[in-house]
Amino acid sequence: MTLKRILSMLMALVTGATVLTVGAPAAQAAGSCSGTIIYSQVQSSGYGELVIYYNSSNGGTNSACFYHRGAAYGKSAPTFVQIYRCAERSGEGAHCTRSGSADTDSGDFSYHAGPVGVTGTANYCVEAVGYIGWAGQRHQIFSRRQGC
């Protein structure tokens, strides 16, 4: 690998990290794209990744972001992420019964949708969904119950 290619890749990583750190809107204070990762899945096409985070503040707070990956990274595309608390307290990986409202972020983004967050999740499962519209298709991920 050439030095020029290595420097180019490092610059892309620094730029992406800056966008992920600075790009979160202040209106979504309940969530942040940080904390302990409890779930992470790259969509089978490789265009997106759904990540759920947890921290113990506010009786347990879970947040989610849907990141652009591969050819979609840095390209504006319809992107969506949503998270909600489940009524269930166990059964990770099963379908979820929503308990309370959901937090959603959607729009034409170049790097990620989110953060979105829910509080009061200690001892409860959460579920998130995210997608990117790319090449005329919706590339979607459902987490099912996580963090139980």
Side-chain angles (χ1 to χ4, degrees):
M1 192 177 282
T2 67
L3 180 59
K4 184 176 179 181
R5 182 156 167 82
I6 291 170
L7 290 174
S8 176
M9 289 172 36
L10 284 173
M11 186 56 136
L13 286 171
V14 169
T15 302
T18 301
V19 169
L20 293 175
T21 304
V22 179
Q28 296 172 339
S32 69
C33 288
S34 65
T36 302
I37 295 174
I38 64 162
Y39 175 86
S40 174
Q41 181 179 343
V42 175
Q43 203 279 329
S44 62
S45 68
Y47 296 128
E49 178 181 14
L50 179 62
V51 181
I52 302 174
Y53 302 87
Y54 177 78
N55 73 59
S56 59
S57 65
N58 297 317
T61 300
N62 284 92
S63 56
C65 290
F66 189 87
Y67 299 102
H68 291 208
R69 295 289 184 244
Y73 184 78
K75 308 287 191 318
S76 182
T79 313
F80 171 92
V81 67
Q82 181 178 74
I83 191 169
Y84 42 89
R85 188 176 88 170
C86 302
E88 297 84 8
R89 295 175 181 252
S90 64
E92 196 162 289
H95 289 287
C96 177
T97 305
R98 286 188 191 192
S99 173
S101 62
D103 191 10
T104 303
D105 187 27
S106 64
D108 287 332
F109 301 116
S110 297
Y111 297 97
H112 67 88
V116 292
V118 290
T119 59
T121 59
N123 303 313
Y124 285 93
C125 305
V126 296
E127 185 169 11
V129 60
Y131 71 79
I132 182 170
W134 190 258
Q137 295 182 357
R138 180 181 287 184
H139 302 272
Q140 187 164 290
I141 300 171
F142 284 94
S143 71
R144 297 195 177 194
R145 283 186 225 163
Q146 299 298 320
C148 305

